[in-house]
Amino acid sequence: MSTADTRLTSDDRREQILAAATVVFGERGYAGGTTDAIAKQAGISQAYVVRMFGSKERLFLEVARRATGRLRERFGLVISSFTGAETSQDRQSALGVAYAELVSDRGTLLALLHLFGLGADPVFGPEGRECFLSVYRLVREEAGFTPEETVEFFSRGMLMTILLALRMPDATDPAASELLVTAMGPQCEAILAGYESAVSATV
């Protein structure tokens, strides 16, 4: 263990494990992700991972809460910058860019999708619903959207999520380009730049 490693606080180490778990669960899902793979991704022992989080189930829940918390924090910062002069489209666009920047972290994007796919699970289902609704309430109540505008925003966001999860920017079919530009709107260029950067970082 290096000197730098020994200086990490418990909070630093916890964040290191959560970041590694986000990558592993994003790539492999809950069933395929293991504490051993997470430990290797983090560069620490499996025993330390288990000692800090107790179980893989608890670790996956913490990954989901971290991802949702980061999303709420990012949206909250954007919403706090609104002056009241913005149109609904202006606000949707600003929040869309913030979302795209966050999910350019592919682990976060895929970990959330895995969580949403576990709606029937007795533990992860309620957590996934609350995670989603907490973001919905934030956008609905603090961004000043009507219920219809909120649904419009989430509909576009979920389509964006699916397209990025599918790696649609990698497709050469002209239909893919048309779909991306139409779905992402004015922030398309910024979103795709973030996507390219994230992909390059994993190569």
Side-chain angles (χ1 to χ4, degrees):
M1 180 178 292
S2 71
T3 303
D5 288 337
T6 63
R7 293 175 182 167
L8 288 177
T9 67
S10 177
D11 285 345
D12 289 337
R13 187 68 79 186
R14 183 177 187 278
E15 176 59 25
Q16 179 186 19
I17 294 171
L18 286 173
T22 298
V23 172
V24 172
F25 284 134
E27 291 177 348
R28 306 184 185 185
Y30 175 69
T34 65
T35 53
D36 182 55
I38 291 164
K40 288 177 180 176
Q41 178 72 26
I44 59 177
S45 71
Q46 182 185 25
Y48 192 94
V49 172
V50 174
R51 186 163 68 249
M52 179 162 280
F53 289 92
S55 67
K56 184 174 83 164
E57 179 182 275
R58 173 65 185 275
L59 182 51
F60 185 75
L61 284 172
E62 291 298 323
V63 165
R65 291 166 182 163
R66 173 180 178 266
T68 307
R70 292 176 68 196
L71 183 53
R72 286 197 304 267
E73 180 181 13
R74 188 72 62 91
F75 278 2
L77 287 172
V78 173
I79 291 169
S80 68
S81 72
F82 293 159
T83 65
E86 299 86 0
T87 65
S88 172
Q89 192 56 50
D90 290 338
R91 283 173 280 152
Q92 289 196 41
S93 181
L95 287 169
V97 170
Y99 178 71
E101 290 171 350
L102 182 66
V103 297
S104 64
D105 172 358
R106 190 165 175 81
T108 296
L109 171 79
L110 296 179
L112 286 172
L113 281 177
H114 286 304
L115 174 67
F116 298 155
L118 292 169
D121 186 273
V123 174
F124 300 134
E127 184 70 25
R129 289 187 285 277
E130 178 51 36
C131 284
F132 196 96
L133 287 172
S134 71
V135 180
Y136 175 87
R137 286 191 295 267
L138 173 67
V139 173
R140 168 73 180 93
E141 296 167 7
E142 298 190 29
F145 292 150
T146 66
E148 293 76 17
E149 288 169 339
T150 309
V151 168
E152 178 186 356
F153 173 72
F154 272 82
S155 297
R156 190 176 292 272
M158 292 308 293
L159 177 56
M160 182 191 305
T161 299
I162 295 299
L163 293 176
L164 293 178
L166 285 169
R167 293 189 181 272
M168 194 60 74
D170 296 350
T172 57
D173 189 324
S177 298
E178 178 182 274
L179 178 57
L180 288 164
V181 170
T182 306
M184 297 178 181
Q187 62 265 35
C188 183
E189 186 175 340
I191 294 168
L192 294 182
Y195 171 84
E196 293 295 340
S197 177
V199 169
S200 297
T202 62
V203 173

